[in-house]
Amino acid sequence: MPVAIRQLLPADSLAYRRLRLACLAEYPASFGSSVEEEEQLGPLYFEKHIEAQEPGAFVMGAFNETELVGMCAFLQASRRKVRHQGDIRQVCVSPAYKGQGLGRALLLRTLQAAFALPDLEQIYLGVIVGNAAANQLYESLGFEQYGLQKRYLRVNEHYFDHRLMVLNRASFTASPTPADVTLPAISNSTLTASPAWKLPPKNTL
């Protein structure tokens, strides 16, 4: 059964919040925020954008039937002099669905929607050096490193370096890949989440 990828709507805000907190708990070395900090907040940063449905600020979601199992957010700069720039943020796929091309499909759909904005020219993102799968994915889509932040994150006294990467519109549209986003089929064996993956209970949000 193929997953469905679409932009999140206001009705998806609770599902987004649950997945966001689960991602922070599961992958603490991949995000600058912590689950302890964000679970204390009211509406999360992108919840507000999901509610507003702004063209330059959105979250793409991957759904297995009604379950949100992956996401990728985009934010265009708001100031006039830098509106040609945007950022990819909060890329995350549930462990039970990893390794099936879902992250790639999510990112491609997000890039397509972002570069459809008439004044957008380049997209930035940051990735931890040790995240081999994410680094390989971004490089395969044309992202290039332009900087490195040493000891960017400290998690349980361990330090992680952070790559800064950029993708230009010309590089993206010249690639043969974006024209054909194949949605991965999810086999029955992957429909049960891994024991380590626990979404926050709905009644605690």
Side-chain angles (χ1 to χ4, degrees), residues 110-127:
T110 305
L111 293 173
Q112 287 178 333
F115 278 126
L117 298 169
D119 51 351
L120 192 77
E121 298 177 14
Q122 55 204 48
I123 295 177
Y124 296 89
L125 58 77
V127 59

PDB file of all heavy atoms in Angstrom, residues 110-127:
ATOM      1  N   THR A 110       8.646  18.391  -0.943  1.00  0.00           N
ATOM      2  CA  THR A 110       8.838  19.673  -0.276  1.00  0.00           C
ATOM      3  C   THR A 110       9.626  20.622  -1.157  1.00  0.00           C
ATOM      4  O   THR A 110       9.280  21.809  -1.297  1.00  0.00           O
ATOM      5  CB  THR A 110       9.564  19.463   1.066  1.00  0.00           C
ATOM      6  OG1 THR A 110       8.841  18.524   1.863  1.00  0.00           O
ATOM      7  CG2 THR A 110       9.684  20.778   1.827  1.00  0.00           C
ATOM      8  N   LEU A 111      10.695  20.125  -1.782  1.00  0.00           N
ATOM      9  CA  LEU A 111      11.508  20.968  -2.665  1.00  0.00           C
ATOM     10  C   LEU A 111      10.706  21.431  -3.872  1.00  0.00           C
ATOM     11  O   LEU A 111      10.820  22.592  -4.310  1.00  0.00           O
ATOM     12  CB  LEU A 111      12.747  20.205  -3.118  1.00  0.00           C
ATOM     13  CG  LEU A 111      13.777  19.883  -2.022  1.00  0.00           C
ATOM     14  CD1 LEU A 111      14.872  18.979  -2.579  1.00  0.00           C
ATOM     15  CD2 LEU A 111      14.373  21.154  -1.441  1.00  0.00           C
ATOM     16  N   GLN A 112       9.903  20.553  -4.426  1.00  0.00           N
ATOM     17  CA  GLN A 112       9.073  20.936  -5.563  1.00  0.00           C
ATOM     18  C   GLN A 112       8.122  22.062  -5.191  1.00  0.00           C
ATOM     19  O   GLN A 112       7.974  23.040  -5.928  1.00  0.00           O
ATOM     20  CB  GLN A 112       8.288  19.728  -6.066  1.00  0.00           C
ATOM     21  CG  GLN A 112       9.125  18.712  -6.818  1.00  0.00           C
ATOM     22  CD  GLN A 112       8.307  17.512  -7.250  1.00  0.00           C
ATOM     23  OE1 GLN A 112       7.297  17.169  -6.630  1.00  0.00           O
ATOM     24  NE2 GLN A 112       8.742  16.863  -8.311  1.00  0.00           N
ATOM     25  N   ALA A 113       7.458  21.927  -4.048  1.00  0.00           N
ATOM     26  CA  ALA A 113       6.512  22.955  -3.614  1.00  0.00           C
ATOM     27  C   ALA A 113       7.233  24.263  -3.304  1.00  0.00           C
ATOM     28  O   ALA A 113       6.732  25.350  -3.616  1.00  0.00           O
ATOM     29  CB  ALA A 113       5.744  22.463  -2.379  1.00  0.00           C
ATOM     30  N   ALA A 114       8.416  24.167  -2.690  1.00  0.00           N
ATOM     31  CA  ALA A 114       9.160  25.371  -2.334  1.00  0.00           C
ATOM     32  C   ALA A 114       9.640  26.109  -3.576  1.00  0.00           C
ATOM     33  O   ALA A 114       9.477  27.332  -3.695  1.00  0.00           O
ATOM     34  CB  ALA A 114      10.339  24.997  -1.440  1.00  0.00           C
ATOM     35  N   PHE A 115      10.218  25.390  -4.522  1.00  0.00           N
ATOM     36  CA  PHE A 115      10.735  26.045  -5.724  1.00  0.00           C
ATOM     37  C   PHE A 115       9.621  26.492  -6.670  1.00  0.00           C
ATOM     38  O   PHE A 115       9.879  27.200  -7.644  1.00  0.00           O
ATOM     39  CB  PHE A 115      11.728  25.138  -6.448  1.00  0.00           C
ATOM     40  CG  PHE A 115      13.115  25.178  -5.872  1.00  0.00           C
ATOM     41  CD1 PHE A 115      13.753  24.018  -5.481  1.00  0.00           C
ATOM     42  CD2 PHE A 115      13.777  26.384  -5.713  1.00  0.00           C
ATOM     43  CE1 PHE A 115      15.041  24.053  -4.945  1.00  0.00           C
ATOM     44  CE2 PHE A 115      15.058  26.442  -5.186  1.00  0.00           C
ATOM     45  CZ  PHE A 115      15.697  25.273  -4.798  1.00  0.00           C
ATOM     46  N   ALA A 116       8.385  26.106  -6.379  1.00  0.00           N
ATOM     47  CA  ALA A 116       7.252  26.636  -7.135  1.00  0.00           C
ATOM     48  C   ALA A 116       6.950  28.080  -6.747  1.00  0.00           C
ATOM     49  O   ALA A 116       6.253  28.787  -7.474  1.00  0.00           O
ATOM     50  CB  ALA A 116       6.017  25.767  -6.915  1.00  0.00           C
ATOM     51  N   LEU A 117       7.484  28.524  -5.605  1.00  0.00           N
ATOM     52  CA  LEU A 117       7.337  29.923  -5.206  1.00  0.00           C
ATOM     53  C   LEU A 117       8.163  30.783  -6.167  1.00  0.00           C
ATOM     54  O   LEU A 117       9.351  30.532  -6.362  1.00  0.00           O
ATOM     55  CB  LEU A 117       7.819  30.117  -3.765  1.00  0.00           C
ATOM     56  CG  LEU A 117       7.034  29.336  -2.710  1.00  0.00           C
ATOM     57  CD1 LEU A 117       7.749  29.395  -1.364  1.00  0.00           C
ATOM     58  CD2 LEU A 117       5.611  29.875  -2.583  1.00  0.00           C
ATOM     59  N   PRO A 118       7.584  31.780  -6.779  1.00  0.00           N
ATOM     60  CA  PRO A 118       8.256  32.479  -7.880  1.00  0.00           C
ATOM     61  C   PRO A 118       9.551  33.184  -7.506  1.00  0.00           C
ATOM     62  O   PRO A 118      10.443  33.320  -8.345  1.00  0.00           O
ATOM     63  CB  PRO A 118       7.199  33.485  -8.354  1.00  0.00           C
ATOM     64  CG  PRO A 118       6.262  33.640  -7.195  1.00  0.00           C
ATOM     65  CD  PRO A 118       6.236  32.308  -6.522  1.00  0.00           C
ATOM     66  N   ASP A 119       9.677  33.649  -6.261  1.00  0.00           N
ATOM     67  CA  ASP A 119      10.864  34.416  -5.902  1.00  0.00           C
ATOM     68  C   ASP A 119      11.900  33.605  -5.132  1.00  0.00           C
ATOM     69  O   ASP A 119      12.897  34.153  -4.670  1.00  0.00           O
ATOM     70  CB  ASP A 119      10.474  35.660  -5.093  1.00  0.00           C
ATOM     71  CG  ASP A 119       9.556  35.340  -3.924  1.00  0.00           C
ATOM     72  OD1 ASP A 119       9.091  34.195  -3.844  1.00  0.00           O
ATOM     73  OD2 ASP A 119       9.312  36.249  -3.099  1.00  0.00           O
ATOM     74  N   LEU A 120      11.692  32.295  -4.992  1.00  0.00           N
ATOM     75  CA  LEU A 120      12.647  31.484  -4.247  1.00  0.00           C
ATOM     76  C   LEU A 120      13.774  31.012  -5.168  1.00  0.00           C
ATOM     77  O   LEU A 120      13.525  30.476  -6.246  1.00  0.00           O
ATOM     78  CB  LEU A 120      11.961  30.266  -3.625  1.00  0.00           C
ATOM     79  CG  LEU A 120      12.836  29.540  -2.612  1.00  0.00           C
ATOM     80  CD1 LEU A 120      12.878  30.287  -1.283  1.00  0.00           C
ATOM     81  CD2 LEU A 120      12.376  28.111  -2.389  1.00  0.00           C
ATOM     82  N   GLU A 121      15.017  31.202  -4.741  1.00  0.00           N
ATOM     83  CA  GLU A 121      16.177  30.830  -5.553  1.00  0.00           C
ATOM     84  C   GLU A 121      17.065  29.778  -4.904  1.00  0.00           C
ATOM     85  O   GLU A 121      17.727  29.022  -5.615  1.00  0.00           O
ATOM     86  CB  GLU A 121      17.020  32.077  -5.844  1.00  0.00           C
ATOM     87  CG  GLU A 121      16.295  33.138  -6.646  1.00  0.00           C
ATOM     88  CD  GLU A 121      17.148  34.377  -6.852  1.00  0.00           C
ATOM     89  OE1 GLU A 121      18.379  34.311  -6.598  1.00  0.00           O
ATOM     90  OE2 GLU A 121      16.590  35.413  -7.246  1.00  0.00           O
ATOM     91  N   GLN A 122      17.110  29.730  -3.580  1.00  0.00           N
ATOM     92  CA  GLN A 122      18.002  28.772  -2.931  1.00  0.00           C
ATOM     93  C   GLN A 122      17.434  28.327  -1.592  1.00  0.00           C
ATOM     94  O   GLN A 122      16.731  29.078  -0.916  1.00  0.00           O
ATOM     95  CB  GLN A 122      19.397  29.361  -2.748  1.00  0.00           C
ATOM     96  CG  GLN A 122      19.450  30.685  -2.013  1.00  0.00           C
ATOM     97  CD  GLN A 122      20.696  31.486  -2.363  1.00  0.00           C
ATOM     98  OE1 GLN A 122      21.033  31.642  -3.530  1.00  0.00           O
ATOM     99  NE2 GLN A 122      21.383  31.990  -1.343  1.00  0.00           N
ATOM    100  N   ILE A 123      17.750  27.073  -1.242  1.00  0.00           N
ATOM    101  CA  ILE A 123      17.219  26.454  -0.032  1.00  0.00           C
ATOM    102  C   ILE A 123      18.385  25.930   0.806  1.00  0.00           C
ATOM    103  O   ILE A 123      19.287  25.262   0.291  1.00  0.00           O
ATOM    104  CB  ILE A 123      16.250  25.310  -0.379  1.00  0.00           C
ATOM    105  CG1 ILE A 123      15.019  25.868  -1.106  1.00  0.00           C
ATOM    106  CG2 ILE A 123      15.818  24.561   0.880  1.00  0.00           C
ATOM    107  CD1 ILE A 123      14.036  24.804  -1.547  1.00  0.00           C
ATOM    108  N   TYR A 124      18.322  26.213   2.089  1.00  0.00           N
ATOM    109  CA  TYR A 124      19.371  25.827   3.022  1.00  0.00           C
ATOM    110  C   TYR A 124      18.861  24.742   3.969  1.00  0.00           C
ATOM    111  O   TYR A 124      17.658  24.607   4.213  1.00  0.00           O
ATOM    112  CB  TYR A 124      19.812  27.028   3.854  1.00  0.00           C
ATOM    113  CG  TYR A 124      20.452  28.130   3.057  1.00  0.00           C
ATOM    114  CD1 TYR A 124      19.678  29.152   2.496  1.00  0.00           C
ATOM    115  CD2 TYR A 124      21.823  28.167   2.854  1.00  0.00           C
ATOM    116  CE1 TYR A 124      20.256  30.170   1.756  1.00  0.00           C
ATOM    117  CE2 TYR A 124      22.421  29.184   2.123  1.00  0.00           C
ATOM    118  CZ  TYR A 124      21.631  30.176   1.578  1.00  0.00           C
ATOM    119  OH  TYR A 124      22.205  31.180   0.838  1.00  0.00           O
ATOM    120  N   LEU A 125      19.795  23.984   4.507  1.00  0.00           N
ATOM    121  CA  LEU A 125      19.486  23.055   5.585  1.00  0.00           C
ATOM    122  C   LEU A 125      20.760  22.776   6.374  1.00  0.00           C
ATOM    123  O   LEU A 125      21.862  23.084   5.936  1.00  0.00           O
ATOM    124  CB  LEU A 125      18.873  21.746   5.058  1.00  0.00           C
ATOM    125  CG  LEU A 125      19.637  20.878   4.052  1.00  0.00           C
ATOM    126  CD1 LEU A 125      20.749  20.054   4.712  1.00  0.00           C
ATOM    127  CD2 LEU A 125      18.675  19.921   3.359  1.00  0.00           C
ATOM    128  N   GLY A 126      20.574  22.189   7.545  1.00  0.00           N
ATOM    129  CA  GLY A 126      21.698  21.774   8.367  1.00  0.00           C
ATOM    130  C   GLY A 126      21.541  20.306   8.727  1.00  0.00           C
ATOM    131  O   GLY A 126      20.420  19.812   8.892  1.00  0.00           O
ATOM    132  N   VAL A 127      22.658  19.592   8.816  1.00  0.00           N
ATOM    133  CA  VAL A 127      22.604  18.164   9.115  1.00  0.00           C
ATOM    134  C   VAL A 127      23.821  17.784   9.946  1.00  0.00           C
ATOM    135  O   VAL A 127      24.934  18.283   9.719  1.00  0.00           O
ATOM    136  CB  VAL A 127      22.533  17.329   7.812  1.00  0.00           C
ATOM    137  CG1 VAL A 127      23.739  17.588   6.920  1.00  0.00           C
ATOM    138  CG2 VAL A 127      22.396  15.849   8.122  1.00  0.00           C
TER     139      VAL A 127
END
